[in-house]
Amino acid sequence: MRALQLFLVLLGVSGLAYWFTLDKDSQVALVPDQPTSAIVEIVVPETLSANAQVGKVAFEAKCSACHGANAVGQTDIAPPLVHKIYEPSHHADEAFQRAVALGVRQHHWPFGNMAPVEGLTRADVTMIVAYVRELQRANGIN
């Protein structure tokens, strides 16, 4: 089991290293012109697992422009992922994989559709999900 965890961490780190070598113009996220505010306030855990640490780096690089720092959402931009709607029994880990790979049609929030996110592998998303799940657990979302 320990070897599998080490393998996943190394896979995530190598995926991020690859991502950082890509053409930077293809990585530009649309950032709103107006300042936005967090939709929820959360408790951030003091420590994160190794997988969640890798996931945090990937989240900050690819997801936070819309979903906000620490997945708190942004008014008029994107929903918080640290929210009961995204608890594992309602949105399983595979829902995050599909959202990144295929995009998502608007269904819970009035933000419009989410486009697919380019440049993330399944392993990258697995690490991002580990990060989001640890944030959720720290906030009573299981």
Side-chain angles (χ1 to χ4, degrees):
M1 187 62 160
R2 182 86 174 137
L4 176 60
Q5 288 176 330
L6 181 59
F7 172 75
L8 289 175
V9 169
L10 291 174
L11 184 63
V13 170
S14 64
L16 287 174
Y18 173 75
W19 180 81
F20 283 112
T21 64
L22 294 176
D23 176 16
K24 296 300 182 203
D25 290 338
S26 68
Q27 300 173 29
V28 176
L30 297 177
V31 178
D33 293 333
Q34 300 296 319
T36 60
S37 60
I39 295 173
V40 296
E41 290 184 23
I42 67 165
V43 173
V44 178
E46 287 185 28
T47 60
L48 295 169
S49 69
N51 287 355
Q53 289 176 26
V54 172
K56 181 179 181 180
V57 172
F59 183 90
E60 289 172 349
K62 293 297 233 176
C63 310
S64 67
C66 295
H67 288 286
N70 298 311
V72 296
Q74 294 190 82
T75 303
D76 298 327
I77 304 296
L81 300 177
V82 181
H83 191 279
K84 184 172 175 54
I85 286 176
Y86 297 102
E87 68 185 353
S89 65
H90 190 251
H91 283 85
D93 295 358
E94 187 60 25
F96 288 86
Q97 292 284 355
R98 293 180 56 78
V100 169
L102 305 171
V104 179
R105 287 185 18 202
Q106 174 183 310
H107 59 288
H108 289 300
W109 303 88
F111 299 110
N113 299 337
M114 176 182 146
V117 180
E118 295 183 16
L120 289 173
T121 66
R122 283 189 64 85
D124 295 332
V125 177
T126 296
M127 299 300 164
I128 290 170
V129 171
Y131 171 60
V132 170
R133 295 299 190 210
E134 288 187 27
L135 290 172
Q136 290 174 338
R137 282 191 296 278
N139 288 274
I141 301 168
N142 299 314

